[in-house]
């Protein structure tokens, strides 16, 4: 039977990140993921390079940082999961529906994210086995299509990925999530650095970098603004209570605005560095940058095989992608698990297993939408594409909109001031400015972009 004591005990023993570096690594771990290494370079490629980058950076500063701070305030102050945080801060209201939408978004994103993490594992193993070499461009394309549409191979990888993920999440906040981030993220940065240095020595390094950094505003289509905003939310794990959940494990001495700026800074740097690895390589070996989502699976192995010690670069790259994706998948898993754990009599381990089971079920449909279910279209999209669209383009921006309204209009200003804890004579001006951003500026931007994308 459920009783209140179980819940009281659970909410008292929630655990927390044990060190400040753990806070940064875990939060950077959720933010840095497929969004940076896989999605960002192809989105830049499809939207005209440097001009898009300019819009993206604006969006990061104006929407990203304030949005991250908003979730941090809600999470750290309430010390609760994505749903209960709103119940605590706004009892007897409907605000906690934001949390439900977040838990749902987390679950839906996992449904396709886990499939792609599975692909990265397959490619990592193939690279280690030395199988990603000596093929023609067409053969690399075929290899990916055959694998992704295979009736059970990608499913096996997805199950393995969810198993690893569950083991980590079941171990709890400091013993599982923080420990995994503390080990994996430094490895990630070392690999990234090696690859960036290598890319500077490629024949078309300059061309690749110019494409990325030289803005040509005539290339910028209006829809790119929406895409930039969607990418901001997705890449920063914003709008679905992920950062609420993580910051509920922050101790009181964590400086929220500073941490937010650091996380946004590192996340953007990683996205840029990924593009700096990929574009020079793609240009050097005569490929096109606007390949879309299959860029890293179809094009890159072909690019790497033409470099000296190509197998090594493939192994490093897919290891990089796998680590980035895994630490994000952990955070998605944690959002749903924390909610379940703190609202049922289930143990953390059982909650984590149950979530994983449901994700695998959804993932089967997402994965098969590249194969036997490829003809099943809902609103003209495959199941995989639909999950991506509904989450990144709808649930995350809508979640972000309501979180900013909540913080800007509903939440007591004193809570905001306490959580921002700025020791400066003009601190009140900063708090005022921040509240103005959350009241008017952020929601208006999200709303305008949203309307424009739906009806424009
Ligand atoms: N930020 C992650 C990425 O860039 C994806 C993600 C979205 C993770 C939402 C958690 C929550 O890949």
């Amino acid at each position: 039977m459920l009783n209140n004591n179980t819940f009281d005990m659970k909410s008292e023993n929630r655990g927390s990140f044990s060190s400040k570096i753990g806070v940064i690594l875990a939060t950077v771990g959720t933010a840095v993921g497929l969004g940076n290494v896989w999605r960002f370079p192809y989105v830049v490629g499809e939207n005209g390079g440097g001009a898009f980058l300019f819009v993206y950076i604006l969006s990061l500063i104006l929407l990203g940082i304030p949005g991250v701070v908003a979730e941090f305030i809600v999470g750290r102050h309430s010390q609760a999961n994505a749903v209960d945080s709103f119940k605590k801060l706004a009892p007897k209201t409907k605000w906690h529906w934001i949390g439900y939408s977040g838990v749902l978004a987390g679950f839906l994103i996992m449904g396709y994210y886990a499939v792609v993490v599975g692909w990265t594992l397959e490619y990592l193993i193939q690279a280690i086995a030395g199988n990603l070499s000596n093929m023609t461009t067409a053969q690399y394309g075929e290899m990916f299509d055959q694998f992704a549409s295979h009736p059970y191979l990608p499913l096996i990888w997805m199950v393995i990925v969810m198993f690893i993920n569950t083991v980590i999440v079941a171990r709890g906040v400091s013993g599982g999530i923080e420990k995994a981030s503390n080990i994996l993220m430094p490895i990630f940065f070392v690999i990234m650095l090696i690859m960036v240095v290598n890319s500077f020595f490629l024949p078309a390094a300059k061309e690749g970098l110019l494409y990325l950094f030289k803005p040509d505003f005539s290339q910028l289509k209006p829809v790119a603004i929406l895409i930039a905003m969607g990418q901001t939310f997705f890449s920063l794990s914003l709008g679905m209570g992920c950062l609420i959940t993580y910051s509920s494990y922050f101790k009181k001495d964590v400086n929220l605005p500073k941490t937010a700026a650091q996380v946004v800074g590192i996340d953007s740097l990683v996205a840029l560095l990924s593009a700096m690895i990929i574009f020079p390589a793609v240009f050097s070996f005569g490929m096109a940058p606007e390949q879309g989502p299959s860029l890293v699976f179809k094009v890159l192995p072909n690019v790497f095989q033409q470099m000296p010690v190509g197998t090594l670069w493939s192994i490093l790259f897919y290891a990089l992608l796998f680590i980035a994706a895994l630490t994000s998948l952990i955070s998605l898993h944690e959002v749903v698990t924390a909610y379940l754990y703190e609202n049922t009599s289930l143990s953390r381990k059982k909650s984590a297993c149950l979530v994983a089971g449901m994700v695998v079920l959804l993932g089967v449909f997402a994965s098969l939408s590249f194969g036997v279910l490829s003809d099943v279209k809902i609103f003209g999209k495959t199941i995989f594409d639909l999950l991506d669209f509904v989450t990144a383009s709808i649930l995350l921006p809508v979640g972000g909109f309501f979180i900013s309204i909540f913080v800007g209009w509903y939440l007591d200003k004193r809570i905001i001031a306490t959580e921002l804890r700025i020791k400066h004579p003009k601190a009140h001006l900063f708090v005022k400015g921040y509240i103005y951003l959350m009241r008017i500026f952020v929601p208006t931007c999200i709303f305008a972009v949203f309307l424009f994308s739906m009806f424009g």
Side-chain angles (χ1 to χ4, degrees):
M1 266 310 281
L2 303 183
N3 62 42
N4 283 335
N5 286 343
T6 326
F7 294 126
D8 289 348
M9 222 179 66
K10 282 181 173 180
S11 60
E12 267 165 32
N13 302 325
R14 298 183 76 249
S16 59
F17 293 126
S18 62
S19 67
K20 285 197 182 144
I21 184 78
V23 163
I24 296 283
L25 291 179
T27 316
V28 167
T30 164
V32 169
L34 294 171
N36 307 62
V37 187
W38 168 67
R39 206 169 189 267
F40 179 75
Y42 84 73
V43 165
V44 175
E46 284 177 338
N47 290 284
F52 177 82
L53 189 64
F54 178 78
V55 179
Y56 181 61
I57 290 175
L58 265 187
S59 161
L60 278 174
I61 297 172
L62 296 175
L63 303 176
I65 299 181
V68 172
V69 172
E71 290 205 22
F72 280 178
I73 292 175
V74 172
R76 211 249 309 261
H77 198 79
S78 64
Q79 303 276 303
N81 61 67
V83 175
D84 293 322
S85 52
F86 290 100
K87 284 191 181 162
K88 270 190 175 176
L89 296 176
K92 302 199 182 71
T93 64
K94 295 255 182 287
W95 285 106
H96 62 277
W97 280 87
I98 301 177
Y100 287 134
S101 142
V103 172
L104 177 71
F107 174 66
L108 297 178
I109 296 177
M110 268 192 283
Y112 71 93
Y113 209 88
V115 174
V116 184
V117 189
W119 295 348
T120 65
L121 206 51
E122 156 81 8
Y123 269 68
L124 176 61
I125 303 296
Q126 293 291 356
I128 294 172
N131 292 341
L132 292 184
S133 53
N134 297 326
M135 283 194 261
T136 60
T137 311
Q139 281 170 329
Y140 280 110
E142 256 167 50
M143 174 182 164
F144 176 77
D145 291 337
Q146 264 174 18
F147 166 70
S149 62
H150 193 278
Y152 58 83
L153 261 183
L155 300 182
I156 296 177
W157 285 120
M158 180 188 59
V159 171
I160 294 174
V161 162
M162 284 313 293
F163 176 78
I164 301 172
N165 213 37
T166 308
V167 170
I168 296 171
V169 171
R171 282 171 185 250
V173 180
S174 64
I177 300 172
E178 186 177 0
K179 217 174 184 174
S181 320
N182 285 353
I183 298 170
L184 292 173
M185 292 317 285
I187 302 178
F188 174 87
F189 285 112
V190 171
I191 301 181
M192 179 136 242
L193 219 69
I194 298 174
M195 296 205 72
V196 171
V197 172
N198 175 57
S199 84
F200 284 129
F201 292 104
L202 294 175
K206 200 171 148 209
E207 212 183 325
L209 295 179
L210 273 181
Y211 178 77
L212 180 63
F213 289 112
K214 199 171 155 225
D216 174 2
F217 286 97
S218 64
Q219 289 288 320
L220 196 68
K221 287 173 258 143
V223 69
I225 300 173
L226 172 79
I227 297 174
M229 187 178 80
Q231 175 66 16
T232 306
F233 279 90
F234 188 81
S235 188
L236 294 175
S237 312
L238 263 182
M240 54 150 289
C242 191
L243 299 177
I244 295 180
T245 308
Y246 266 32
S247 58
S248 73
Y249 306 131
F250 289 3
K251 291 188 176 139
K252 285 288 170 207
D253 61 351
V254 174
N255 181 329
L256 300 184
K258 189 169 145 200
T259 308
Q262 284 168 338
V263 170
V264 174
I266 298 174
D267 185 71
S268 339
L269 188 71
V270 170
L272 277 180
L273 292 180
S274 304
M276 283 162 62
I277 292 174
I278 291 175
F279 289 129
V282 166
F283 279 102
S284 296
F285 299 101
M287 310 275 173
E290 54 273 348
Q291 284 283 336
S294 57
L295 181 72
V296 304
F297 294 104
K298 288 184 175 172
V299 179
L300 283 189
N302 193 6
V303 169
F304 291 139
Q305 77 162 353
Q306 301 180 50
M307 295 181 186
V309 284
T311 299
L312 177 72
W313 298 117
S314 296
I315 295 174
L316 287 179
F317 181 78
Y318 291 107
L320 181 88
L321 196 57
F322 175 67
I323 292 174
L326 185 68
T327 50
S328 296
L329 194 62
I330 290 171
S331 70
L332 288 160
H333 200 156
E334 175 62 17
V335 171
V336 190
T337 301
Y339 168 68
L340 207 64
Y341 169 61
E342 287 167 10
N343 284 282
T344 63
S345 60
L346 295 176
S347 65
R348 179 173 252 281
K349 198 166 152 193
K350 284 203 178 119
S351 311
C353 289
L354 185 65
V355 174
M358 293 189 303
V359 169
V360 166
L361 219 65
L362 181 64
V364 167
F365 290 97
S367 179
L368 291 181
S369 72
F370 288 90
V372 289
L373 298 181
S374 63
D375 289 335
V376 178
K377 297 260 168 77
I378 307 167
F379 303 118
K381 292 185 188 312
T382 63
I383 300 169
F384 184 98
D385 290 341
L386 187 74
L387 287 173
D388 180 43
F389 179 77
V390 168
T391 52
S393 302
I394 300 179
L395 287 177
L396 299 190
V398 169
F401 176 83
F402 283 110
I403 293 173
S404 73
I405 299 275
F406 178 76
V407 170
W409 294 91
Y410 183 90
L411 201 61
D412 191 333
K413 288 192 186 71
R414 279 167 304 190
I415 294 184
I416 301 177
T418 330
E419 288 301 330
L420 292 180
R421 210 177 32 94
I422 309 153
K423 291 190 197 79
H424 188 274
K426 293 264 187 307
H428 66 284
L429 281 182
F430 183 87
V431 175
K432 256 197 172 153
Y434 178 71
I435 292 176
Y436 168 78
L437 270 182
M438 298 317 285
R439 277 197 170 182
I440 317 277
F441 182 78
V442 174
T444 311
C445 285
I446 302 176
F447 190 67
V449 176
F450 202 67
L451 269 192
F452 174 76
S453 72
M454 288 286 157
F455 309 106

